[in-house]
Amino acid sequence: MTTAVQAPNVWRRFAKPVAIVGAGIAGLTAALDIERRGLRATVFESGRAVGGMASSFKDAEGYTYDFGAHFVSNRLADAMGASAISRTVRHYGEAVALGQKSYSYPFGLALSPRYAASAVSARLKPQPVANAADWFRNAYGEALAEDVAIPLAEAWSGAPASELSPAVGNKLAAGVMKTFLLKAASRLSGRAVCNGYSHEMPESPRVYHVYPEGGVAKLLEPTVARLGDSIALESKVERIFVENGKVAAVKVNGREIGVSAVISTAPVHVLPRLVEGTDALEELGGFRYRPMIFVNLRFEGRNLLPDTMLWVPDRSQPFFRVTEAPFSMPWLAPEGRTQLTFDIGCEVGDAWWTMSDEKLAQACLDGLCRIYPHLRERYIGAGGMLKTPLAYPVYLARYEKRRQDFAERTGVAGLYSIGRNGEFAHLLMEDIYWRTLKRMSDVASYVGQDV
């Protein structure tokens, strides 16, 4: 944790604030760290509540669900002051459905003679890598790449794997020995040890999954309490003004406010429309995000899937992933019942996006029952339907060089971009937290020089 550096109260009172756009985990973490350093921060959130995609819902029937999949470690909960309200997750696992047969991930697939032989062949004769499809074939072998990795990548991104950057594979890479050791640690400790959920900090048997009581949004409450009136809700940042190559002011709800720096969590393709006074960000307007629909269905019984998360690389299915959160966290559904969440990749305005909730539920139920026919008789009904036009950044090869440059700097002095949408990066919650803290050192240095 960064040690606070207290500035004189008079300077703090009259200094221009650091403006933070968006009150999700990245924006709130940034604000708290900026204030710990003795600087002024104001978080401008256009909505009526904080959280962004770290939002939770509990309905009258006793089901709790989040806006998309979130993974919280005990280390993150402790860093954010929420360890006292966080329950330990005892088990977490993944499986892959191929036809009506399921394989545990990754070892069940690795033990398949067909996939093992193909993987060995690929390692002995690696091919040049120009795109994600090449990366998958080299990493997993032709058979597993064609049957599993490529269909999933295409369903998730909405683009052919041949048009995706090889960097897509970087977020999936995990050492076999590390995976084996952490899986063994999970069994011995009775805790769901994290494996592949943080690249910024080391993973070990002491870092495991937890879940805040009342939903993942509760993770943010200690930070919100500390920030107090530094958070301005229903305050839309309409413009970011740049003068002589550096940030000078923001326009919020029609009012211009001088600032010392701007930290944005907005999707990067929005920044060119927000920023006035430079065309340095123009190329970012072409960056793509994948829209997603999350469909929740309720069933009698528990542990209906082979594990918590089921990947479905069948291109004929409307969904590519099904998650049974109560498999790992039974308190998220009433006793004797469960909820399955289906992820549907789509485009805004297409047939899936405009489909009625009833038809979406029916499509998911029919698809699930092609894999597990016996589940139809256990179906109770549909839960909430959630849609987002900005679920995941899509790493297209055509703008990979610009993406890498943007990861280093925005190109505008005093403008910083953080969080998954703001960094245009495949980041899970813990990495968002640690990366944000690292970036705040740069912000503090810049603001100090500017003063």
Side-chain angles (χ1 to χ4, degrees):
M1 214 51 98
T2 305
T3 303
V5 179
Q6 291 300 324
N9 288 336
V10 174
W11 179 86
R12 177 183 168 88
R13 187 179 305 129
F14 293 103
K16 294 178 181 178
V18 175
I20 298 171
V21 183
I25 182 173
L28 295 173
T29 298
L32 188 58
D33 194 63
I34 287 292
E35 298 219 331
R36 282 195 185 113
R37 295 171 184 272
L39 305 173
R40 286 180 61 205
T42 302
V43 183
F44 296 108
E45 168 58 48
S46 62
R48 296 181 178 180
V50 304
M53 288 194 70
S55 299
S56 305
F57 309 87
K58 184 169 184 177
D59 61 27
E61 297 177 62
Y63 293 90
T64 299
Y65 49 97
D66 300 320
F67 199 160
H70 296 287
F71 299 93
V72 181
S73 72
N74 63 313
R75 178 168 56 195
L76 176 62
D78 185 56
M80 298 193 70
S83 56
I85 62 165
S86 296
R87 302 191 191 193
T88 298
V89 176
R90 299 296 175 187
H91 169 83
Y92 173 79
E94 300 179 30
V96 177
L98 293 170
Q100 291 188 324
K101 187 173 181 180
S102 299
Y103 296 82
S104 65
Y105 176 83
F107 295 118
L109 289 169
L111 292 174
S112 163
R114 177 169 178 262
Y115 295 140
S118 179
V120 169
S121 176
R123 293 299 175 91
L124 292 175
K125 297 180 180 180
Q127 301 299 312
V129 174
N131 52 53
D134 296 337
W135 190 96
F136 290 132
R137 292 186 182 106
N138 271 2
Y140 305 130
E142 184 79 20
L144 187 58
E146 294 296 333
D147 289 357
V148 179
I150 290 176
L152 287 176
E154 293 183 344
W156 156 79
S157 67
S162 60
E163 296 180 9
L164 295 172
S165 162
V168 168
N170 294 340
K171 82 186 193 80
L172 304 174
V176 173
M177 185 55 67
K178 174 193 169 188
T179 299
F180 178 81
L181 292 174
L182 293 181
K183 287 283 187 184
S186 288
R187 294 196 174 216
L188 291 172
S189 67
R191 300 184 302 212
V193 173
C194 297
N195 180 25
Y197 292 93
S198 178
H199 299 284
E200 296 295 315
M201 298 286 280
E203 292 182 319
S204 74
R206 295 186 296 275
V207 182
Y208 51 89
H209 293 284
V210 299
Y211 189 85
E213 293 183 24
V216 72
K218 295 290 184 179
L219 186 71
L220 305 178
E221 289 188 354
T223 304
V224 171
R226 292 178 186 178
L227 287 171
D229 58 8
S230 294
I231 303 171
L233 299 177
E234 297 184 82
S235 299
K236 184 178 181 180
V237 175
E238 299 161 339
R239 284 285 184 276
I240 300 170
F241 296 108
V242 174
E243 296 177 0
N244 300 318
K246 67 178 186 178
V247 166
V250 294
K251 184 179 180 181
V252 181
N253 292 350
R255 183 166 65 98
E256 190 171 317
I257 303 169
V259 297
S260 58
V262 172
I263 301 170
S264 174
T265 68
V268 297
H269 69 335
V270 171
L271 276 181
R273 300 198 298 269
L274 286 179
V275 174
E276 185 174 309
T278 180
D279 59 2
L281 306 175
E282 189 173 348
E283 286 181 90
L284 302 181
F287 283 28
R288 278 185 49 197
Y289 290 83
R290 179 63 160 164
M292 202 70 60
I293 302 172
F294 304 104
V295 178
N296 294 296
L297 302 184
R298 280 82 184 269
F299 295 82
E300 294 283 0
R302 280 284 173 86
N303 298 3
L304 304 186
L305 299 183
D307 220 317
T308 313
M309 187 176 290
L310 181 70
W311 296 97
V312 184
D314 182 348
R315 297 176 190 271
S316 70
Q317 292 279 22
F319 48 82
F320 64 90
R321 179 169 64 183
V322 188
T323 305
E324 185 179 0
F327 195 117
S328 292
M329 296 164 283
W331 57 85
L332 296 182
E335 189 170 347
R337 294 187 173 186
T338 196
Q339 180 164 260
L340 306 186
T341 302
F342 298 76
D343 294 19
I344 300 176
C346 59
E347 297 299 330
V348 174
D350 71 7
W352 291 111
W353 188 267
T354 57
M355 189 176 289
S356 69
D357 289 357
E358 293 77 11
K359 289 184 177 180
L360 282 170
Q362 191 63 51
C364 290
L365 178 62
D366 290 344
L368 178 69
C369 292
R370 291 207 299 273
I371 307 172
Y372 307 116
H374 66 285
L375 293 185
R376 192 177 296 274
E377 63 190 34
R378 296 196 177 193
Y379 178 59
I380 300 172
M385 306 279 174
L386 301 172
K387 297 181 181 180
T388 174
L390 305 167
Y392 302 108
V394 180
Y395 285 9
L396 291 178
R398 62 180 170 82
Y399 50 64
E400 176 62 12
K401 177 61 169 62
R402 183 67 181 95
R403 184 190 73 81
Q404 292 178 359
D405 291 343
F406 183 75
E408 297 296 322
R409 62 190 63 82
T410 65
V412 176
L415 176 62
Y416 302 86
S417 202
I418 61 171
R420 183 172 66 181
N421 285 341
E423 290 193 48
F424 198 77
H426 299 139
L427 300 177
L428 295 173
M429 289 189 78
E430 187 171 6
D431 279 351
I432 290 172
Y433 180 82
W434 299 116
R435 284 170 68 115
T436 297
L437 290 186
K438 288 179 181 179
R439 188 62 60 87
M440 292 311 100
S441 297
D442 297 335
V443 176
S445 296
Y446 172 82
V447 173
Q449 293 169 3
D450 197 45
V451 172

